[in-house]
Amino acid sequence: MASLPLFPLTAKVTALRGVGPVYAEAFEANGILTLKDLLWSLPYRYIDRGSLLKIGDLGFRPDAGDREIVTVLGTVQDVRQSTTRVQRMNLTEALITDGTGVLRLVWFNQPHVGKLFRAGERVLVFGPLASGRLGLEMRGPAFELMGRGGDEDSLWVRRYLPLYRKLGPVMGRARQRMVQEALARASEPGEWLPPELARGVPSTLASLRLLHQPPDDSDPAELDAHASPAHRRLASEELFAFALGVTLRRAGRMARRGQAVATTPELRERLRDYLPFRLTGAQRNAFREIVADLTSGRVMHRLLQGDVGSGKTLVAFLAMAMVAETGGQAALLVPTEVLARQHAATVQRLLKGAAGGMELLLGPMKAAEKRKALARIASGEASYIIGTHALFQEAVAFRQLQLVVVDEQHRFGVRQREALKQKGLDPHWLVMSATPIPRSLALALFGDLEQSVLDELPPGRQPITTRLLEPGGAERAWAIMERELNAGRQAFVVSPAIDPQDEAKVPLRDIQAMEALLRAQFPVHELRVVHGRLKADAMAERMEDFVSGRARILLATTVIEVGVDVPNASVMVVDHAERFGLSQLHQLRGRVGRGSVPSHFLMLSGADTERLRVLVATQDGFRIAQKDLELRGPGEFFGTRQAGLPQFQAADLVRDRQLLTLCREAADKAVQRGLSEAQLGWLKQEQARLKLAEIS
Ligand code: ADP
Ligand code: MG
């Protein structure tokens, strides 16, 4: 093989031997075009040959815990589907053999499994053993299809068998062969990491070899934790490329001229007049930082972070007022109409006599109303503009847009953020994050921006008692709620949105069932129900009933998660709390405790109690977010549709956050020194995947 020519990592996979049209199509469908794409698709897991058990040796081993996970490799003998007599469940059964015995596998209500299994194909299965009617079996095991193959085609060329993400027909030994071929034919790229990152880690190609074909003496714990020096090399390459992109984008922004807002003593006086309260120290600091940006002549790009209830809205309003009072326009973008209406009411209240300068723009407005709003925005008559996505989608022409404030940013994609730039506008940006996130992640998520943190709550906040109640203890929750309602307060009840296809083992109570329960439990108190499928008008009307106090109980899915401000609400009950993320629950909790009396946050849940206890233990949103991230990973944490998150293959934003900090520092230095050819080349390759800045 040594005589064959080497390819750069940027060469097409189709250059490899053995890649015909079928494989090429499978690769392309999975975004794998080059050798680099193929090689950076790292194994997500390794199976140690020594941990593999023979079916004939399986049995109840007295010293093994009864939930011990065992791994077996077998060939499928038979697959069948049927329906159980009791409960009418779909049952999939498969028999596999490895020559020493036959093992039965069963799945309930997962008919797709039956379609994946084919007689004669190999499969690795992982799961605990159970004793069934017909002997030992595995119920609902995880599995990995390995394709066909005979004795001469052992999967186990080494001690560790790498397992890969599915790539259509390229599986099992065939996948290993492709990778092997790519490793043999790829040439070592020039070193482009700066010395401080390259020190102590193997070269790129050596790292790829170590991770695709771990030597038998590799440390399995290190492999599993993605903590080997080889992992570190590849993660550094991704994070450094990413950090370089951010640094360059920042340099570009610093070079742009922003609209400088001129402050005067009169302006300061007017802003002070708008304030309903004394600012907290944290609010004052954050606003000072914003003023410095707005007056600097550069374009502001700032993230305002703060725990729920820390008073971000007031700071944002002051920034808007500063622009609006000096002849510019400021837009506030929010994710939902409920929230848009509420912010509009708040701004109106703060503006008092000057409220005529405000305009609300929503998607489903009546045509005449919308025309009027658009005209007022175009003429500059409206200087405070509040709206949802409609602000991007409609033919909105601004007269003098100088500032965009985005509330609950992570619901907006990069695309919307870029939409205004498309209109030739280069306003200042203030981004408010609902969920506090660690600095390193903020950087990854938002790219280039400065941060202000509100680490102090306004005075007079009432304590919130948090309790976790078993479903059997729900009476306790209803009793507390009854007491609060009878004292003239209001209550939120939150139900998870439940998909009727849901296959959870615990029976779930949906919002209809909860409504029936609440009506029976609290017949004298007015109740309103809101959920995501409600028409905008109906939603606004029901919310208004609750905000005004006409309705005393609001039963909702998580549409209330963000921003609703009803100080008279002193109790919230969350049903099936295990269905929510920790940060989401913390946001929900922030809806109470805003009035003049102590409040209650009651979670009903029979599952996942250890995770939920975090909320009982602390009220610190930053700590909760950190825990949530560790438990769920950044993808889940920010929601699967989070468009802005870069797609890393070797790096993990939570696991590698210290490395990211190092890469940032290294990137700053590298840009100051001037980038090398190798660095520029690598950046060009990476920019699409990592959503980096344009490099010119
Ligand atoms: P969040 O940061 O969660 O968006 P809000 O901006 O909704 O918080 O503020 C929460 C509550 O605190 C609101 O009712 C607001 O009026 C009140 N608030 C904000 N700043 C102050 C302050 N400096 N003093 C007293 N109350 C304040
Ligand atoms: Mg808010």
Side-chain angles (χ1 to χ4, degrees), residues 471 498 502-509 576 578-579 605-608:
I498 292 168
D502 226 312
E503 285 172 7
K505 292 181 200 73
V506 242
L508 292 165
R509 173 163 50 201
H576 293 300
E578 74 280 358
R579 309 278 290 183
S605 178
D608 213 4

Side-chain angles (χ1 to χ4, degrees), residues 157-324:
V157 285
R158 293 184 184 73
R159 173 177 163 196
Y160 293 103
L161 174 71
L163 296 185
Y164 295 95
R165 187 170 62 88
K166 302 254 171 328
L167 270 187
V170 198
M171 60 168 117
R173 190 74 184 102
R175 173 68 180 265
Q176 288 186 44
R177 276 208 210 93
M178 295 294 38
V179 168
Q180 196 175 350
E181 178 77 5
L183 286 172
R185 301 294 298 278
S187 60
E188 183 78 72
E191 179 63 81
W192 64 285
L193 284 184
E196 62 265 45
L197 294 174
R199 200 172 304 127
V201 297
S203 74
T204 306
L205 217 47
S207 299
L208 289 166
R209 279 201 189 96
L210 284 166
L211 295 179
H212 285 290
Q213 306 174 336
D216 289 357
D217 61 356
S218 304
D219 174 356
E222 225 179 42
L223 283 177
D224 278 347
H226 298 259
S228 67
H231 273 114
R232 189 181 163 88
R233 145 71 66 175
L234 300 183
S236 298
E237 292 197 356
E238 284 187 320
L239 294 174
F240 180 64
F242 172 71
L244 269 184
V246 172
T247 305
L248 291 176
R249 177 173 284 198
R250 178 184 159 80
R253 176 167 65 83
M254 288 310 197
R256 292 205 309 271
R257 276 198 54 75
Q259 306 165 71
V261 179
T263 59
T264 55
E266 294 77 56
L267 174 64
R268 265 179 239 130
E269 195 54 44
R270 272 212 300 286
L271 293 187
R272 204 165 306 134
D273 277 351
Y274 284 137
L275 285 183
F277 336 92
R278 258 178 80 85
L279 292 181
T280 64
Q283 284 173 320
R284 201 169 307 126
N285 286 340
F287 186 55
R288 199 175 295 134
E289 288 165 344
I290 291 168
V291 171
D293 286 345
L294 291 178
T295 53
S296 69
R298 285 192 296 269
V299 185
M300 172 168 83
H301 207 179
R302 184 170 286 279
L303 176 66
L304 179 59
Q305 288 221 63
D307 210 340
V308 54
S310 58
K312 294 184 285 290
T313 317
L314 191 57
V315 175
F317 168 78
L318 286 174
M320 292 175 78
M322 202 171 141
V323 165

Side-chain angles (χ1 to χ4, degrees), residues 532-547:
R533 287 186 306 280
L534 223 48
K535 287 248 164 41
D537 289 358
M539 170 81 96
E541 193 180 306
R542 292 179 190 187
M543 288 304 296
E544 180 46 37
D545 283 349
F546 187 68
V547 172

